[in-house]
């Protein structure tokens, strides 16, 4: 999809990748971007906030009424980018693992599902598209982020199902699988990280080229190649990265 002249909604827009996507969409000529966040005051305070083209919109993806209200209000969306997400960095057997698993499933899986369900009729009416920001950790479990990885694996399955259900209605569904990106989510974690701006460009390049699977950084591309060639080896490498 060419985003020029299109109306786009980005969830989690006050976050690192979300805000970079908003700016990159404007760079590429999007007509209007709904920058959706739980805290719209935070959106209005973001650097380079452009009230002429950006509409700050309150959405908590875990609240069905909030999602339904937004869908009723935004009937002009061509491209929905489900970017909101949380990572509590807990392993599955951590004492707090069950509670973090619940919270991550609520946002990363059920929240994304809720957005897809509410906006499917909107984007279908415009023969538009949906892009879900999943994670490379949805394709291989990293035990230190075990509960998050599992929630993103659910997100990957959700993406495939929604893609199949919407195909006959002319809606493209893109899956985005980043590796580590330098945002609040990875603050304090020492490792090579892509910048949110680089990742936003790669995501929109992938959407422009109509790529159904988008690996927006060198690390995710490398891991994906590994998963295609030697999936068990990749699983073992990630499994060995215990605290
Ligand atoms: N950073 C990475 O290394 C990385 C790698 C792979 C995938 N991802 C994915 O990329 C996406 C963006 O993450 P990020 O790195 O940009 O992290 P971030 O800066 O922490 O941004 C996350 C965004 O999600 C929002 N959010 C959380 N819960 C929400 C809810 N219930 N309703 C609506 N919005 C909610 C946050 O809003 P608040 O400010 O209100 O909390 C924030 O705007 C996530 O889906 C993440 O899983 C990130």
């Amino acid at each position: 999809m060419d985003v020029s002249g299109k109306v786009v909604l980005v969830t989690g827009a006050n976050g690192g990748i979300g805000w970079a996507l908003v700016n990159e969409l404007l760079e590429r000529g999007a007509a209007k971007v709904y920058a959706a966040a739980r805290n719209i005051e935070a959106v209005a305070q973001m650097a380079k906030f452009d009230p002429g083209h950006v509409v700050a919109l309150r959405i908590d993806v875990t609240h069905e009424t909030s999602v339904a209200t937004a869908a009723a209000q935004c009937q002009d969306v061509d491209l929905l980018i489900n970017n909101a997400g949380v990572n509590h960095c807990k392993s599955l057997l951590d004492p707090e693992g069950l509670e973090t698993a619940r919270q991550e499933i609520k946002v990363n899986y059920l929240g994304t599902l809720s957005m897809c369900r509410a906006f499917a009729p909107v984007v279908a009416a415009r023969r538009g598209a949906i892009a879900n920001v999943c994670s490379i950790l949805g394709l291989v479990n990293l035990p230190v982020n075990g509960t998050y990885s599992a929630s993103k694996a659910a997100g990957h399955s959700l993406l495939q199902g929604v893609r199949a259900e919407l195909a006959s209605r002319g809606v493209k569904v893109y899956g985005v699988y980043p590796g580590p990106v330098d945002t609040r989510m990875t603050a304090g974690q020492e490792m090579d990280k892509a910048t949110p701006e680089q990742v936003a460009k790669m995501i929109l390049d992938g959407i422009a080229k109509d790529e159904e699977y988008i690996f927006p950084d060198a690390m995710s591309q490398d891991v994906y190649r590994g998963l295609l060639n030697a999936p068990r080896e990749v699983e073992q490498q990630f499994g060995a990265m215990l605290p």
Side-chain angles (χ1 to χ4, degrees):
M1 169 185 269
D2 175 3
V3 296
S4 168
K6 297 289 197 302
V7 176
V8 185
L9 191 154
V10 181
T11 63
N14 61 313
I17 297 173
W19 190 244
L21 279 168
V22 171
N23 285 312
E24 190 59 31
L25 284 160
L26 295 181
E27 281 288 317
R28 294 177 188 225
K32 176 163 71 175
V33 182
Y34 290 109
R38 291 191 285 196
N39 175 356
I40 52 170
E41 292 73 27
V43 172
Q45 284 163 11
M46 299 299 279
K48 298 200 265 178
F49 178 73
D50 170 2
H53 295 94
V54 179
V55 179
L57 179 75
R58 197 180 305 281
I59 301 184
D60 181 332
V61 299
T62 64
H63 286 196
E64 272 180 57
T65 317
S66 165
V67 171
T69 305
Q73 213 179 316
C74 307
Q75 290 287 308
D76 53 354
V77 173
D78 298 296
L79 170 64
L80 166 67
I81 305 185
N82 285 309
N83 163 73
V86 289
N87 179 359
H88 293 293
C89 301
K90 295 286 180 208
S91 60
L92 288 153
L93 302 184
D94 183 280
E96 293 169 27
L98 194 55
E99 185 46 34
T100 61
R102 279 198 190 98
Q103 290 170 14
E104 287 159 345
I105 280 287
K106 205 170 157 191
V107 179
N108 300 344
Y109 172 64
L110 294 173
T112 305
L113 174 59
S114 182
M115 286 294 296
C116 288
R117 290 171 58 89
F119 279 88
V122 178
V123 291
R126 300 171 71 84
R127 294 188 87 74
I130 296 177
N132 287 354
V133 181
C134 308
S135 169
I136 197 69
L137 298 186
L139 302 182
V140 56
N141 191 286
L142 179 67
V144 285
N145 289 185
T147 60
Y148 170 78
S149 297
S151 73
K152 288 290 186 175
H156 171 61
S157 179
L158 152 69
L159 173 103
Q160 293 179 323
V162 168
R163 178 181 284 155
E165 285 194 58
L166 287 176
S168 62
R169 294 161 75 184
V171 177
K172 290 293 291 198
V173 179
Y174 305 102
V176 178
Y177 298 81
V181 187
D182 193 9
T183 67
R184 190 172 10 130
M185 192 172 278
T186 57
Q189 295 176 34
E190 290 301 317
M191 59 186 148
D192 287 341
K193 300 175 200 174
T195 69
E197 292 75 20
Q198 288 166 339
V199 166
K201 278 187 201 309
M202 293 289 283
I203 293 172
L204 295 180
D205 283 353
I207 291 175
K209 288 187 229 151
D210 223 18
E211 289 171 357
E212 290 191 319
Y213 286 92
I214 301 171
F215 296 91
D217 57 278
M219 204 274 216
S220 63
Q221 289 160 12
D222 198 38
V223 174
Y224 185 57
R225 263 192 302 276
L227 285 169
L228 290 177
N229 296 327
R232 183 76 183 108
E233 262 176 44
V234 178
E235 181 192 334
Q236 283 168 341
Q237 273 167 17
F238 276 63
M241 288 187 240
L242 285 166

